Amino acid sequence: MSAAPAHAGAGPGPPRPGGGPVLFLTGHLPSYRVGAFARLHEREGLEVALFGGARRHGGPDPAVQLPFPARRVRPHELYGLAASGRYRAVVCPTGGRAALLAGWAGARAGRIPLILWASLWAHPRTPAHAFSYLPLRRLYRSAQAVVTYGPHVSAYVRRRGAVNVFEAPQAVDNEFWSAPQHVEPQLEDWPRQAAARFLFVGRPDPEKGLAVLLDAWARAGLESSCALVLVGAARGAPPRVPAGGPLPAAAGSASIHELGPLEPARLREVYAHAAVLVVPSIATASFREPWGLVVNEAMNQRLAVIASDAVGAVAGGLVRDGDTGIVVPAADPVALAQAIGRLAASPELRARLGAAGARAVAAYTYDAWAEGFTRALASAGVAAR
């Protein structure tokens, strides 16, 4: 299959110093990423190549025309693109082993800088990933620059030989997510009478820790006063638990309300009328939460946050225990139940944490994300500015 346009781009972007635009490789481009890529395109001029592969995010693909050139390709076609002489740099993610190697080899053949976009802060422990450890470590050392999600990833790649490291902080559309929401959600099964609503937003996959949260919810004993609201999974779908693990006793409790997947405007209403976001992710052999953008979204609506120490937003410094949230050990339902009970009993603590989180997340913008890549490109001598 030859490379085919995914969406026709709008606008040529800024002037490009010799070598054309920046070729940005990524498996998928969910809707919540489009604004960040658009801001980088305004600065640097992009062409995005979407090579597909496994999805590890919950967002849909964009339904509208992308504001930058993009094409869908097969992984092996990335070599020819990168080596074509049409681009002044290539940005490669650490996901997609065949795509990563093709992009790296093409950049070398084309004698243009390779910028590695790194998300790992712990290498996966599956047999398949064992074969990628040494090649990826070589890439950390050989890339002209490495761009990371935050200081936790920066520390990881530096320990593996990366020397020219820049940070592009994870960002959402803060203006959209912080807009006031005065009308309570008009949704079936919305718990209007609950004294406090605790919120989980994510897939029901084992690494998201939903089974741990359901266990903790039963231990917290708040069924008669508070509600646990689940967003993201299809309604009625049980949480996926680690192999051999039991389904938590709380599953099916009358205090648990399943809303299913929600489009962003509806989810924003839910954030605005919830009290606490819980992000109970756990580390598995194949995955550790790189960040957790639901944290950014919820903080924009001044929610208090409980997150496990397996969440990138904790390791990266956005969620700080006792300051912008409460941090608990991953896979520890007792500690999580205690944190839930603590926030259920203290509206004042919820308000303080929510206000501090809103102040902290204001710095995590699309401009800051794009600036990280501009600095990396400038270090290689190919930035547009």
Side-chain angles (χ1 to χ4, degrees):
M1 183 182 74
S2 61
H7 297 268
R16 297 159 185 146
V22 172
L23 179 63
F24 202 119
L25 314 182
T26 185
H28 301 275
L29 187 61
S31 295
Y32 61 76
R33 288 278 187 212
V34 171
F37 275 68
R39 196 63 48 85
L40 182 56
H41 176 60
E42 291 167 5
R43 287 168 164 260
E44 299 294 341
L46 297 184
E47 183 173 315
V48 177
L50 304 167
F51 57 80
R55 291 175 181 264
R56 302 305 291 261
H57 60 77
D61 289 339
V64 298
Q65 185 182 52
L66 295 173
F68 42 79
R71 64 174 68 204
R72 298 190 187 279
V73 299
R74 288 181 174 176
H76 71 269
E77 295 174 299
L78 296 175
Y79 174 86
L81 274 178
S84 67
R86 293 162 44 195
Y87 308 101
R88 69 181 193 274
V90 176
V91 178
C92 282
T94 49
R97 291 184 290 276
L100 171 59
L101 293 175
W104 172 73
R108 285 177 63 89
R111 299 187 177 184
I112 59 174
L114 176 79
I115 311 299
L116 190 64
W117 186 27
S119 61
L120 296 176
W121 53 296
H123 196 80
R125 304 185 306 276
T126 66
H129 284 97
F131 292 102
S132 68
Y133 179 76
L134 290 178
L136 192 54
R137 186 164 182 165
R138 181 182 177 190
L139 279 174
Y140 291 139
R141 296 194 302 268
S142 63
Q144 276 70 27
V146 179
V147 180
T148 74
Y149 284 1
H152 61 310
V153 183
S154 297
Y156 176 83
V157 299
R158 286 191 177 104
R159 290 195 299 269
R160 281 147 187 83
V163 292
N164 196 32
V165 181
F166 301 86
E167 290 173 12
Q170 288 281 57
V172 299
D173 184 346
N174 286 348
E175 182 177 358
F176 173 85
W177 289 106
S178 64
Q181 303 295 298
H182 302 295
V183 178
E184 192 164 356
Q186 303 300 305
L187 296 167
E188 182 183 355
D189 204 26
W190 175 252
R192 288 177 176 77
Q193 306 305 317
R197 304 175 189 97
F198 289 75
L199 181 63
F200 169 89
V201 181
R203 308 186 309 273
D205 296 342
E207 63 263 22
K208 293 298 182 179
L210 180 54
V212 178
L213 173 56
L214 294 177
D215 189 348
W217 185 253
R219 293 170 185 269
L222 299 173
E223 290 87 347
S224 62
S225 58
C226 298
L228 177 60
V229 179
L230 308 181
V231 176
R235 296 183 66 184
R240 301 187 185 106
V241 300
L247 189 67
S253 166
S255 65
I256 298 176
H257 301 260
E258 299 179 63
L259 303 185
L262 297 177
E263 53 92 17
R266 282 294 180 89
L267 179 56
R268 183 177 57 183
E269 293 176 355
V270 169
Y271 284 134
H273 292 86
V276 179
L277 175 74
V278 186
V279 189
S281 302
I282 63 174
T284 68
S286 62
F287 187 80
R288 182 176 291 188
E289 189 78 67
W291 188 260
L293 282 172
V294 293
V295 171
N296 300 54
E297 295 169 358
M299 282 184 168
N300 271 292
Q301 284 294 331
R302 305 176 75 85
L303 264 73
V305 174
I306 301 172
S308 81
D309 56 10
V311 173
V314 172
L318 178 55
V319 183
R320 300 184 295 274
D321 189 41
D323 180 9
T324 59
I326 294 178
V327 178
V328 298
D332 187 340
V334 174
L336 182 54
Q338 291 171 348
I340 289 171
R342 183 181 171 196
L343 286 181
S346 179
E348 296 79 11
L349 178 57
R350 298 198 303 263
R352 178 174 68 79
L353 295 176
R359 291 192 295 270
V361 80
Y364 290 71
T365 65
Y366 288 158
D367 279 324
W369 185 86
E371 175 65 18
F373 283 95
T374 289
R375 291 175 60 221
L377 291 165
S379 75
V382 292
R385 301 183 180 182

